[in-house]
Amino acid sequence: MEFGHIRRSEHLPARIASQIARDITEGRMRPGEKLPTEHFLAKALGVSRTVVREAIAQLRNEGLVETRQGVGAFVTESHARQIRIEQDDLADRQSFRDLFQLRVPLEIEAAGLAALHHTADDLARIDEALASMSGGEKWTAEGIVADLAFHRAIAAATGNEYFSVFIGFIAERISLAISAARSTAVLEEIVEVTIEEHVVLRDAIASRDPKRAREAMKMHLLGAARRLDLTLEAY
């Protein structure tokens, strides 16, 4: 398996995941084989370890790899691989809306459970992602990665690994679709209000008030839907 630097204009985790996925599906990496370390991949590809972690999370959500704590990521057997949503499918507006509709109740409930069950480490990961979104990079490629990491951190804070699997998979697909179609000028106009929504959500989770956290997530997702000109049902 060979790696070359990824162009900064591309959605970095997706490009890396696609490259590794191709090696897996074409047989260059076999079931049970261990992926190179985060450090090796980051250096070889010229990206941050955060970007590599997001790429591996995408591969895990697609069932192409499994991660073992303290050991690394390994290629799965083909029969263990999960459903895939092709990114081209989300170019269709109705398909994109349907996936966003599915995301809403999952993330609202995740926020409530995160408020009840989060640990100090969970909150630290949420804060780390929020700080990355609020920094100078904001909604460049690294900022979009940080936004995805924020939602993954909330899902992990539920204490229910299935929230992490499903929310990680759906949020990553939506993030890719938005990134592919984004307008830099539009993003610059909405970045401050978007970050404010994330701060309100973070504070609601930290307060351990599940009702407040669910409402904050609902308001954030409905705001995101409006910015994407999506009309959702039952909200």
Side-chain angles (χ1 to χ4, degrees):
M1 183 169 57
E2 297 181 356
F3 299 99
H5 280 211
I6 300 295
R7 295 195 302 274
R8 304 301 294 182
S9 61
E10 297 171 308
H11 191 279
L12 304 179
R15 293 293 300 166
I16 294 167
S18 177
Q19 183 174 337
I20 296 173
R22 191 162 51 248
D23 285 329
I24 292 172
T25 57
E26 293 178 2
R28 287 186 290 275
M29 295 192 71
R30 300 191 175 281
E33 186 174 343
K34 184 180 178 181
L35 267 62
T37 65
E38 285 182 7
H39 176 76
F40 177 88
L41 288 171
K43 185 174 181 180
L45 296 165
V47 299
S48 70
R49 292 180 69 171
T50 299
V51 169
V52 172
R53 281 194 293 272
E54 284 300 323
I56 292 173
Q58 178 181 334
L59 292 167
R60 184 178 66 244
N61 289 335
E62 293 182 355
L64 291 170
V65 304
E66 61 178 1
T67 54
R68 303 172 193 170
Q69 189 169 2
V71 180
F74 296 81
V75 179
T76 61
E77 296 287 346
S78 59
H79 62 76
R81 294 172 191 168
Q82 302 169 11
I83 188 170
R84 296 173 64 91
I85 297 176
E86 297 299 334
Q87 205 58 40
D88 288 347
D89 294 342
L90 296 184
D92 176 77
R93 186 148 185 87
Q94 185 61 44
S95 296
F96 179 77
R97 177 201 167 279
D98 288 348
L99 188 61
F100 200 101
Q101 181 84 57
L102 175 60
R103 177 188 186 183
V104 173
L106 285 173
E107 292 228 47
I108 289 174
E109 184 60 19
L113 292 174
L116 290 173
H117 300 302
H118 73 266
T119 65
D121 285 344
D122 290 326
L123 194 60
R125 282 188 286 271
I126 292 170
D127 286 342
E128 180 183 2
L130 184 57
S132 296
M133 279 188 284
S134 304
E137 293 285 323
K138 289 191 174 178
W139 293 99
T140 60
E142 295 282 354
I144 293 170
V145 170
D147 176 66
L148 185 56
F150 180 86
H151 286 271
R152 287 191 193 279
I154 291 174
T158 66
N160 182 329
E161 67 175 309
Y162 295 108
F163 274 97
S164 293
V165 170
F166 283 97
I167 288 175
F169 181 79
I170 293 170
E172 188 272 337
R173 288 298 176 284
I174 289 172
S175 177
L176 279 178
I178 294 171
S179 176
R182 75 185 186 278
S183 160
T184 300
V186 171
L187 286 175
E188 288 175 352
E189 290 177 7
I190 68 173
V191 64
E192 296 301 337
V193 68
T194 303
I195 290 173
E196 182 179 345
E197 289 172 0
H198 284 85
V199 171
V200 169
L201 177 53
R202 178 267 177 210
D203 290 346
I205 290 170
S207 74
R208 295 197 179 277
D209 183 338
K211 182 176 179 180
R212 180 181 162 197
R214 289 187 180 99
E215 185 64 19
M217 180 64 86
K218 177 182 174 181
M219 291 299 99
H220 169 53
L221 293 176
L222 291 182
R226 284 193 300 272
R227 290 187 286 272
L228 294 166
D229 196 26
L230 297 177
T231 302
L232 304 180
E233 296 178 9
Y235 292 99

